[in-house]
Amino acid sequence: MSGIIVIIVECGSLIPPRERSMKFTTLIPLRFNDGQPVPVEQMGRIIDELVVQFNGCSDEGITKGQWVDPKDLQLYRDESRRIFVVCDNRLLWEAQQAVIRIGKELGQLVMYFEVRDYDGVQLLEVPQA
């Protein structure tokens, strides 16, 4: 059985799979803080902007969560779209800023931002029988 390592190409340069890639995940709320739904068109544009900026993203669907604001102990319950992006790890600051921009646009107090595999993500092609 043989395996193939896929090298990610970004802006014309080769990215060695284990050296520079990372995966970040964010949760984009489906409702504004006043309870009104985020319009489908706006959500689509937000996701499209991530695709353009980072050359792709994956939508893992809707997730439910809750958190307590430590300042006033207010309980918040949210439904959000879980979106992840794999990109060059040198884009960490840009990724953080993109998520902050989304949060500002949607009037959020905080935005979930998780970085995994900062030291590398591999995309493996599965051999076909």
Side-chain angles (χ1 to χ4, degrees):
M1 185 189 282
S2 66
I4 299 172
I5 295 178
V6 176
I7 297 178
I8 301 167
V9 177
E10 179 178 318
C11 300
S13 66
L14 293 178
I15 302 173
R18 298 192 93 182
E19 293 179 23
R20 295 191 347 220
S21 57
M22 68 174 190
K23 173 184 176 182
F24 74 86
T25 302
T26 190
L27 302 179
I28 303 175
L30 297 177
R31 296 188 175 278
F32 294 101
N33 290 337
D34 65 2
Q36 294 298 310
V38 173
V40 173
E41 302 80 24
Q42 185 175 10
M43 181 65 73
R45 183 184 45 74
I46 288 169
I47 293 171
D48 288 348
E49 288 171 357
L50 288 173
V51 171
V52 169
Q53 184 173 0
F54 298 104
N55 297 321
C57 74
S58 292
D59 185 340
E60 295 184 298
I62 297 173
T63 187
K64 295 179 181 182
Q66 52 276 323
W67 65 281
V68 175
D69 187 336
K71 294 177 187 168
D72 61 7
L73 302 179
Q74 172 72 37
L75 173 66
Y76 292 89
R77 297 183 191 278
D78 297 315
E79 284 191 347
S80 303
R81 298 268 292 271
R82 178 180 292 273
I83 305 294
F84 80 82
V85 173
V86 175
C87 64
D88 189 312
N89 68 11
R90 292 174 297 179
L91 299 176
L92 177 61
W93 186 84
E94 289 86 347
Q96 292 168 326
Q97 294 306 304
V99 171
I100 289 169
R101 271 194 314 275
I102 294 167
K104 285 182 180 178
E105 179 177 339
L106 299 178
Q108 298 300 300
L109 300 174
V110 297
M111 289 290 288
Y112 179 86
F113 182 78
E114 175 185 353
V115 176
R116 301 196 67 196
D117 308 312
Y118 184 80
D119 59 346
V121 172
Q122 293 185 40
L123 301 177
L124 303 176
E125 185 172 292
V126 178
Q128 301 301 305

